[in-house]
Amino acid sequence: MAGDLRRAIETGELPPGAALPSEAELMQRYNVSRNTARGALRTLENAGLVTSVKGRGRHVSRREPVWIYASRSESRARRKPTGVDSWVDDVEAQGRRARTDIRVAVVQPPTDVAERLKLAPGGLAAVRQRVRLVDDQPWNLNDSYYPMELAQEVPAILDPADVVTGLTVHLADRGHIQVAYLDEITSRMPTPDEAKILEIGPGVPVTIQTRTGTAKDGTPIRCTVSVLPGDRHRLLYEVPA
């Protein structure tokens, strides 16, 4: 039963947004108990293929993934001519609508971020916290941390508006040129707060992309942590052979 429904979803017979048969319909069609029918539907929910809304039944998830060109997003040359965030550029190039809600704060960052920024114990960082939306749906979280001395030198870091030219350009103008970055990719289940903000259904893991940008002398300039629901993103890396 669950296998039949999965195949119907994967082949497009049941397209995104389509209603699934009710428990009663599945009981009659497959001659099974309610618990068996409910278990099959729960299996699809746990796989992220189906969403359940109280009073409206179960529908095929509408989470059509976006392609993110992760190896190009730090290009200063790319940001200047487009005048928009590279993530927005990628999303809109795929015919989707993108926007970003930004908050800024001064915080004592998580231990792993502090280590990547080589902060002294108890050191502070400026953080730009973004909720990124696609077609008006919360899509991912993206938090960029900067050592406080850089935030004091580059006021745009603490500006809650989108920085049109990109902060890497502002940093470069002050002599802090990012010449490399290191990406660390891990996966886990979302925290309750992440699941709530991003409307993540049961059974859907998140990819964590932690990117640390460095200057020519190896000094960390920033650390960005992105929380990417696994059913909504495809990260692309183009690496010279």
Side-chain angles (χ1 to χ4, degrees), residues 136-228:
D136 297 321
Q137 297 181 32
W139 211 254
N140 67 50
L141 304 177
N142 177 271
D143 295 346
S144 292
Y145 297 85
Y146 299 82
M148 272 309 297
E149 58 265 27
L150 289 187
Q152 291 165 347
E153 189 176 342
V154 181
I157 290 175
L158 287 170
D159 185 344
D162 186 28
V163 181
V164 175
T165 56
L167 281 172
T168 53
V169 174
H170 282 258
L171 288 162
D173 289 344
R174 296 297 184 101
H176 305 287
I177 301 173
Q178 179 176 282
V179 299
Y181 59 82
L182 173 69
D183 273 8
E184 300 169 69
I185 308 294
T186 59
S187 60
R188 57 169 171 77
M189 297 307 294
T191 67
D193 283 346
E194 291 166 350
K196 182 178 180 180
I197 294 169
L198 296 175
E199 301 173 5
I200 301 172
V204 178
V206 291
T207 297
I208 308 299
Q209 179 197 35
T210 303
R211 171 170 289 184
T212 306
T214 55
K216 189 174 182 179
D217 63 359
T219 301
I221 292 175
R222 70 179 174 89
C223 179
T224 298
V225 181
S226 299
V227 179
L228 312 169

Side-chain angles (χ1 to χ4, degrees), residues 88-102:
V88 172
D89 212 13
D90 282 343
V91 172
E92 293 184 343
Q94 296 165 66
R96 313 286 291 273
R97 299 190 312 277
R99 67 181 175 87
T100 303
D101 293 340
I102 303 174

Side-chain angles (χ1 to χ4, degrees), residues 15-132:
L20 266 71
S22 67
E23 292 176 6
E25 289 170 330
L26 291 175
M27 289 167 61
Q28 183 175 11
R29 182 186 304 178
Y30 289 95
N31 191 28
V32 296
S33 69
R34 182 173 297 276
N35 282 342
T36 300
R38 185 172 295 164
L41 293 170
R42 190 176 298 119
T43 295
L44 298 174
E45 287 184 43
N46 289 340
L49 297 173
V50 170
T51 55
S52 175
V53 179
K54 190 174 182 179
R56 294 177 51 197
R58 296 175 176 87
H59 292 74
V60 179
S61 297
R62 291 184 176 274
R63 303 301 194 189
E64 301 167 56
V66 296
W67 298 81
I68 303 299
Y69 291 89
S71 52
R72 297 189 210 161
S73 59
E74 299 301 313
S75 169
R76 294 191 303 277
R78 181 188 182 195
R79 182 66 177 256
K80 281 186 173 179
T82 62
V84 297
D85 181 275
S86 58
W87 179 82
V88 172
D89 212 13
D90 282 343
V91 172
E92 293 184 343
Q94 296 165 66
R96 313 286 291 273
R97 299 190 312 277
R99 67 181 175 87
T100 303
D101 293 340
I102 303 174
R103 291 180 13 179
V104 298
V106 175
V107 300
Q108 187 171 326
T111 301
D112 58 335
V113 171
E115 290 174 351
R116 288 171 176 82
L117 291 177
K118 299 182 180 178
L119 300 182
L124 299 178
V127 60
R128 296 175 64 82
Q129 299 171 312
R130 303 176 185 86
V131 177
R132 288 169 159 173

